[in-house]
Amino acid sequence: MPIFRYISPKEGNPFQGGPRSFTERDLMNLKHLITLLVLITLSTSVQAQRFNPKKKYDNHRERTWEATLLLQNQASVSEEFDGGSTLDIDSSTGFGFAIGWNWTEKVNLSWRFSLNKPDYTATIVPNDPENPDAVAQVVSFQMTNYSNQFNFTYNFLKGNFTPFVQAGLGWTKLNSNIPEGPPDINCWWDTWWGYICFDQWETYKTSQFTYNFGLGVRWDMYGPFFMRGSYNREFIKLDSGSTNFDTLTLEGGLMW
């Protein structure tokens, strides 16, 4: 059987109709197919460059930003201060976030904010020479603990899984949420609602310089995602003594 055959004008041009014709629709489908193949090729090339083993294990953290969301468990604290006053803080679970810069594969600089709201019991022993018979007061309430820390982290390894050590400086705000006096009441006249008043309570609180040390492990997963777990101890100096907060932190984040 011959492969090529002469087509007479009566049979029609196969590119201009007829049962064997190559129509304009076929040309469009061919263009779409070629475009799809080009896009697949380019996409495969980009993904190969982004997630190739060399980049995954060689300098994949260096000169990158990162951000994390964190859950933090703060251990319970029991302290006794000068004069016999005591403070018992329950364990609690808080949250926070961090933003950092990977200077190299091993060196990271970051700022971390965390918030905890533990319950506490404080026994306050009066120190009043004019009233030696004053009775100690016991207060049970919920504390608010805001912590801001600027941390230096050193990763021991360049790979995707590495232990690290951490040290940092910052400040911590402790709010007892107990009013220290009558509220400030402010009122104004509104033409629609009439008099509107609101009160603002000043509470016993303090902001103190803190520093911390910690250690943990980091796991850089596929692509830009990573996880980090750490144990930290935060040291804080108070007016009547000092205390430490031990925390376990789990973070999930991404690099870019």
Side-chain angles (χ1 to χ4, degrees), residues 130-171:
E130 298 180 358
N131 186 15
D133 297 327
V135 179
Q137 295 181 334
V138 179
V139 178
S140 294
F141 218 70
Q142 187 180 70
M143 174 188 299
T144 304
N145 180 350
Y146 304 92
S147 178
N148 292 271
Q149 299 293 311
F150 295 92
N151 293 326
F152 170 88
T153 302
Y154 182 79
N155 300 304
F156 288 101
L157 305 175
K158 291 185 176 182
N160 282 23
F161 187 84
T162 175
F164 65 83
V165 292
Q166 189 175 78
L169 303 173
W171 72 93

Side-chain angles (χ1 to χ4, degrees), residues 144-149 170-176 203-210 234-239:
T144 304
N145 180 350
Y146 304 92
S147 178
N148 292 271
Q149 299 293 311
W171 72 93
T172 297
K173 181 179 180 180
L174 301 176
N175 192 333
S176 69
T203 58
Y204 291 99
K205 55 185 177 291
T206 182
S207 294
Q208 299 293 337
F209 168 79
T210 56
E234 185 177 302
F235 303 85
I236 179 171
K237 179 71 175 177
L238 301 174
D239 294 337

Side-chain angles (χ1 to χ4, degrees), residues 4 31 34 41 56 85-86 89 106 112-113 145 149 165 168 170 175-176 181 201 206 209 211 220-221 227-228 250 254:
F4 301 101
K31 291 180 180 179
I34 293 174
T41 302
K56 186 176 180 180
S85 297
T86 61
I89 303 175
K106 295 186 175 183
R112 184 171 72 185
F113 168 81
N145 180 350
Q149 299 293 311
V165 292
N175 192 333
S176 69
W201 296 82
T206 182
F209 168 79
Y211 60 97
D220 293 341
M221 298 180 289
M227 296 186 67
R228 190 163 52 203
L250 179 64
L254 58 86

Side-chain angles (χ1 to χ4, degrees), residues 45-72:
S45 175
V46 170
Q47 294 298 322
Q49 292 179 11
R50 184 178 179 185
F51 299 120
N52 67 78
K54 179 175 178 57
K55 181 166 184 177
K56 186 176 180 180
Y57 295 101
D58 185 17
N59 299 330
H60 66 291
R61 283 192 298 267
E62 185 174 357
R63 302 290 180 173
T64 60
W65 288 96
E66 65 182 34
T68 66
L69 297 176
L70 63 89
L71 285 176
Q72 186 178 81

